[in-house]
Amino acid sequence: MRAIRPTDSVITGAGCVTAIGRDLAASHAAIAAGETGIRTLDDAAAGSGMERAAVIDAPHLRIDVPDEMEPQIKFLNGAGGLAVEACTEAITQAGLMEAPYEDTMRGLYLSQMDSYDWSCPEFHNAGRSLGDPDDAWDDLAMNKAANRKVKPFFMLESLKNNAFSFLATWYGLRGANTSVAGFSGPTWTCFDMAARSLARGSLDAAIVLGAARPTSGVARAEMQAQGVEPVAGDGAAAVSYTHLRAHET
């Protein structure tokens, strides 16, 4: 094993939101007690293999935010709300706001996905107005219904940079950064980019944050079709990093 270098990253804080706990300590305690967040849902047929998941119920953002951030909450989707909670816990643990780092030397690397967007609820009213969904819909009638029923700002909540902008503004995370859509694989890329930014001195501190709600009925149906075995679960986790030379000072 090589010797530790001044440019190596060290963890200074962590945050977590799961179906069994709203913070890291509560989640750990629930796991130690043998609890599970997996439950039977009522939006899938019994025996379909899609009726169980670890869902985090709304409201997805349960912490207080500064008054100036309140108007921005409406643009956060569910995963975005979970991301804000996990990030806040990690930043608080790390004491990042009290650390002597410039805003431009604090970065945020966010990986986010919310499967509730996949069911396209904004289009449901237009579809219902067309009658029996088993019948073929006329293209012109579909366009007319969409023009009448679908609001033009329907995509705002689905934008992945909403949570990123929210957190970057609140906590002054204005350094090297990245926001990606997805979870699991893309999150590992965020870890790598954050570590490299710290090592080369582009940042003094970095937050790596992943948040996902893969438990919608549409998402569970797709997972079943693809043979994905693990039960889907909502959650968010954040880790605060700095490099040793910054940590020691």
Side-chain angles (χ1 to χ4, degrees):
M1 182 180 294
R2 67 170 176 81
I4 295 176
R5 301 168 182 166
T7 55
D8 285 345
S9 300
V10 294
I11 297 175
T12 56
C16 181
V17 182
T18 69
I20 53 176
R22 298 299 302 196
D23 56 34
L24 190 60
S27 295
H28 280 174
I31 292 172
E35 297 178 16
T36 177
I38 299 171
R39 67 178 192 259
T40 301
L41 308 174
D42 59 6
D43 62 346
S48 66
M50 301 186 301
E51 65 270 23
R52 286 162 52 80
V55 177
I56 298 179
D57 294 321
H60 298 103
L61 179 60
R62 303 184 188 181
I63 61 173
D64 294 330
V65 305
D67 290 344
E68 61 270 22
M69 300 305 301
E70 283 286 343
Q72 304 305 314
I73 290 177
K74 59 180 168 286
F75 297 115
L76 296 173
N77 58 20
L82 301 179
V84 171
E85 285 205 9
C87 186
T88 297
E89 183 182 7
I91 286 177
T92 301
Q93 275 194 16
L96 187 58
M97 302 311 293
E98 293 76 42
Y101 307 142
E102 298 291 336
D103 285 5
T104 55
M105 297 299 289
R106 299 189 292 215
L108 173 62
Y109 293 82
L110 170 65
S111 175
Q112 184 193 346
M113 185 278 292
D114 196 308
S115 70
Y116 284 76
D117 302 332
W118 303 357
S119 64
C120 301
E122 299 84 7
F123 293 94
H124 290 184
N125 288 336
R128 292 189 188 99
S129 71
L130 292 172
D132 190 340
D134 293 329
D135 296 335
W137 288 344
D138 176 74
D139 290 347
L140 291 177
M142 288 175 60
N143 286 339
K144 186 175 183 179
N147 285 331
R148 287 188 173 187
K149 302 289 186 178
V150 180
K151 298 178 181 179
F153 50 82
F154 72 90
M155 289 185 62
L156 284 178
E157 289 186 1
S158 69
L159 297 178
K160 302 302 178 287
N161 63 337
N162 288 346
F164 182 93
S165 298
F166 189 99
L167 290 165
T169 300
W170 184 4
Y171 290 117
L173 306 172
R174 306 181 189 279
N177 60 72
T178 293
S179 178
V180 298
F183 67 115
S184 189
T187 309
W188 289 114
T189 302
C190 289
F191 275 110
D192 181 74
M193 297 179 71
R196 291 174 184 271
S197 293
L198 290 167
R200 66 172 175 260
S202 299
L203 294 174
D204 286 328
I207 299 292
V208 180
L209 171 61
R213 282 204 306 160
T215 56
S216 72
V218 173
R220 300 195 321 272
E222 290 192 10
M223 290 178 188
Q224 183 189 43
Q226 296 299 320
V228 178
E229 294 297 333
V231 175
D234 301 332
V239 179
S240 174
Y241 285 96
T242 187
H243 46 66
L244 281 175
R245 62 171 176 259
H247 187 58
E248 290 170 350
T249 56

